[in-house]
Amino acid sequence: MSSATEPQNLHCSTLEGLIARAESAGSQLCVATLATDGPLKLRLRVPDCLAGEHSKYVTIYDVRSPYGDEHMVPSLQSNQDYKAYRRLHREESARESGLGRAISYRFKRDGRGRWVFVTTKVEKAPVATDRKLGAIGVDLNADHLAITETDCSGNYVNTFSVPLVTYG
């Protein structure tokens, strides 16, 4: 099959961490560990049919992310904490602890290179509001975005509009 007629998803696979809380860093198919200098190391389990000609695992070193590491590291740490807690207490108690986060890995190859997309739970950002500062209202319209600002007493301060294409 020529590359022009290959389906787009031929070079894409997803390894879900469905039972990731029981694993330290993902699922049994893909495990991430954090190197001391920052980048991730991924260990992929090779299918049994290929394990004879290859080793049982393939390791990908120096996996770096331009953003999102601040969410990945706490997820890996939470899963390690879950495993340690589960060793000391029973499984039911560990589940109720709130520790452990699911992690899934999606591998994609395209014309620009090979990519790993990591999905995990993100902690909620703290709400940073102060009623003394007033408020803004945002209205999404067919052709523009309307924004109005009020002061802390609800009095009008400013209004402006941003042109917006919401179709196509």
Side-chain angles (χ1 to χ4, degrees):
M1 183 184 310
S2 73
S3 61
T5 59
E6 283 184 3
Q8 273 302 97
N9 63 353
L10 186 63
H11 301 295
C12 181
S13 60
T14 303
L15 302 176
E16 297 290 340
L18 297 177
I19 320 172
R21 287 172 24 144
E23 304 300 326
S24 60
S27 69
Q28 292 180 4
L29 298 175
C30 182
V31 175
T33 53
L34 189 62
T36 55
D37 60 344
L40 288 175
K41 176 175 73 171
L42 297 178
R43 188 188 73 193
L44 303 173
R45 184 172 179 173
V46 176
D48 291 339
C49 63
L50 298 175
E53 57 187 86
H54 304 286
S55 70
K56 188 174 180 179
Y57 296 100
V58 172
T59 304
I60 304 171
Y61 296 94
D62 201 30
V63 177
R64 297 180 186 270
S65 171
Y67 57 90
D69 285 344
E70 68 276 9
H71 304 296
M72 184 64 181
V73 172
S75 290
L76 292 171
Q77 184 61 51
S78 181
N79 288 349
Q80 289 174 351
D81 293 346
Y82 178 85
K83 273 185 87 170
Y85 189 90
R86 193 180 67 189
R87 268 187 242 116
L88 296 174
H89 309 333
R90 60 186 204 285
E91 179 70 29
E92 289 175 24
S93 178
R95 284 189 191 142
E96 294 168 2
S97 70
L99 295 171
R101 297 184 191 163
I103 303 172
S104 68
Y105 305 91
R106 186 174 138 229
F107 296 84
K108 182 169 176 53
R109 183 177 70 190
D110 62 16
R112 297 180 304 171
R114 297 171 192 262
W115 308 90
V116 179
F117 297 91
V118 181
T119 304
T120 189
K121 181 180 178 182
V122 176
E123 290 292 321
K124 290 184 178 180
V127 177
T129 63
D130 188 348
R131 293 182 187 266
K132 294 181 274 187
L133 298 176
I136 62 167
V138 180
D139 185 20
L140 180 63
N141 296 287
D143 61 346
H144 71 283
L145 195 64
I147 296 107
T148 300
E149 178 185 3
T150 62
D151 65 14
C152 61
S153 300
N155 299 317
Y156 169 83
V157 174
N158 188 19
T159 280
F160 63 95
S161 179
V162 178
L164 183 65
V165 177
T166 59
Y167 57 87

